[in-house]
């Protein structure tokens, strides 16, 4: 009796494992509602029928699947265009920031040079001050201006780095977009030609 129960338990576990594996395999199957464009093209190929006539192989694609695939390709292209526009806006903003920082950098550099040239003067805003007080004020101003110069240089370099990085990303995105658009158009044209050939053949057969 115990052996019979063990056998039933083993068979039950085996059945559950087989069912789980089958469900996992079904979940991994490509579809038009998820996955990459390439996997969706594979789905269309798998779901299309085929036959041979006059020594040629033809694919019969459902119009519904073809329309869905076309819409998915358009959505992907629109997403690429949106991302491209966002990157261009980021680059424009960074370039404007760099231009502003350049102006401030030139102004700060001019002020620093002017203060350095006038540091030996004993007149401070028309008032006579002691040499020690004058030197203290001048060095304080110079240090502040120098720190501002370092800050502006840092911000300038950081903005320039971000701009260059955004330009590289934009170039990569444009290249990826062009490659993807070319592959998608080639596949869509191939499927459309096969569908058109099939329609013409069907009309001729009537």
């Amino acid at each position: 009796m115990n052996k019979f129960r063990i056998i039933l338990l083993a068979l039950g576990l085996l059945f559950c494992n087989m069912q789980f594996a089958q469900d996992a395999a079904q979940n991994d199957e490509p579809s038009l509602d998820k996955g990459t464009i390439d996997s969706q093209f594979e789905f269309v190929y798998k779901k299309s029928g085929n036959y041979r006539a006059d020594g040629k192989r033809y694919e019969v694609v459902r119009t519904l699947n073809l329309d869905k695939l076309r819409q998915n390709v358009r959505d992907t292209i629109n997403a690429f265009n949106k991302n491209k526009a966002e990157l261009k806006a980021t680059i424009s903003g960074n370039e404007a920031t760099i231009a502003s920082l350049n102006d401030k950098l030139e102004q700060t550099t001019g002020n620093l040079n002017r203060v350095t040239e006038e540091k030996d003067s004993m007149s401070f805003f028309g008032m006579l001050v002691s040499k020690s007080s004058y030197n203290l004020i001048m060095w304080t101003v110079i240090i502040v201006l120098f720190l501002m110069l370092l800050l502006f240089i840092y911000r300038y370099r950081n903005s320039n780095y971000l701009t260059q990085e955004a330009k590289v990303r934009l170039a990569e995105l444009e290249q990826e977009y062009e490659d993807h658009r070319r592959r998608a158009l080639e596949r869509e044209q191939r499927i459309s030609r096969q569908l058109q050939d099939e329609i013409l053949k069907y009309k001729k057969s009537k």
Side-chain angles (χ1 to χ4, degrees):
M1 186 67 178
N2 290 333
K3 292 183 179 180
F4 181 73
R5 289 181 178 178
I6 293 174
I7 292 173
L8 288 179
L9 180 60
L11 290 175
L13 291 175
L14 180 61
F15 176 77
C16 290
N17 289 333
M18 292 176 61
Q19 185 66 29
F20 177 78
Q22 183 178 2
D23 293 340
Q26 291 177 354
N27 291 332
D28 292 338
E29 290 183 357
S31 68
L32 292 177
D33 296 323
K34 62 181 181 179
T36 63
I37 295 298
D38 288 335
S39 67
Q40 293 178 21
F41 271 107
E42 292 298 328
F43 174 81
V44 172
Y45 282 131
K46 288 181 179 180
K47 294 300 181 180
S48 62
N50 60 79
Y51 68 92
R52 290 184 177 275
D54 298 331
K56 297 181 179 179
R57 185 173 181 269
Y58 294 91
E59 296 287 339
V60 181
V61 181
R62 292 183 60 191
T63 304
L64 182 64
N65 289 344
L66 188 61
D67 291 339
K68 177 67 174 177
L69 181 60
R70 181 183 291 112
Q71 185 60 45
N72 290 344
V73 171
R74 288 175 179 172
D75 292 341
T76 302
I77 291 175
N78 290 336
F80 274 117
N81 289 334
K82 181 180 178 181
N83 195 1
K84 178 180 177 181
E86 291 176 353
L87 287 176
K88 285 186 176 180
T90 301
I91 291 173
S92 298
N94 288 336
E95 288 177 346
T97 302
I98 289 174
S100 176
L101 290 175
N102 279 332
D103 294 339
K104 292 180 180 179
L105 181 61
E106 291 178 0
Q107 181 180 359
T108 303
T109 303
N111 292 336
L112 181 60
N113 292 333
R114 185 172 61 255
V115 170
T116 302
E117 293 173 356
E118 297 175 355
K119 68 177 182 178
D120 294 333
S121 176
M122 299 300 296
S123 177
F124 187 74
F125 292 109
M127 297 183 299
L128 295 176
V129 295
S130 64
K131 188 174 182 179
S132 59
S133 298
Y134 174 81
N135 289 335
L136 177 62
I137 294 173
M138 287 298 99
W139 279 109
T140 301
V141 172
I142 291 173
I143 291 173
V144 171
L145 291 175
F146 182 72
L147 292 176
M148 291 177 62
L149 178 63
L150 292 178
L151 176 62
F152 289 140
I153 291 174
Y154 169 76
R155 292 186 60 186
Y156 168 79
R157 290 184 176 178
N158 187 51
S159 297
N160 189 51
Y161 171 77
L162 293 176
T163 300
Q164 295 300 324
E165 185 179 18
K167 287 182 177 179
V168 171
R169 288 180 57 197
L170 177 61
E172 293 175 351
L173 180 63
E174 288 178 341
Q175 182 63 37
E176 182 181 356
Y177 164 75
E178 288 298 327
D179 292 340
H180 176 76
R181 185 177 67 85
R182 177 178 53 79
R183 291 195 303 268
L185 288 177
E186 288 176 356
R187 293 183 178 180
E188 185 175 352
Q189 289 173 359
R190 185 168 63 252
I191 293 176
S192 298
R193 286 197 300 268
Q194 291 175 353
L195 182 61
Q196 185 65 29
D197 292 342
E198 183 61 25
I199 292 174
L200 293 175
K201 184 173 181 61
Y202 176 75
K203 290 181 177 180
K204 290 180 179 179
S205 64
K206 285 187 174 182

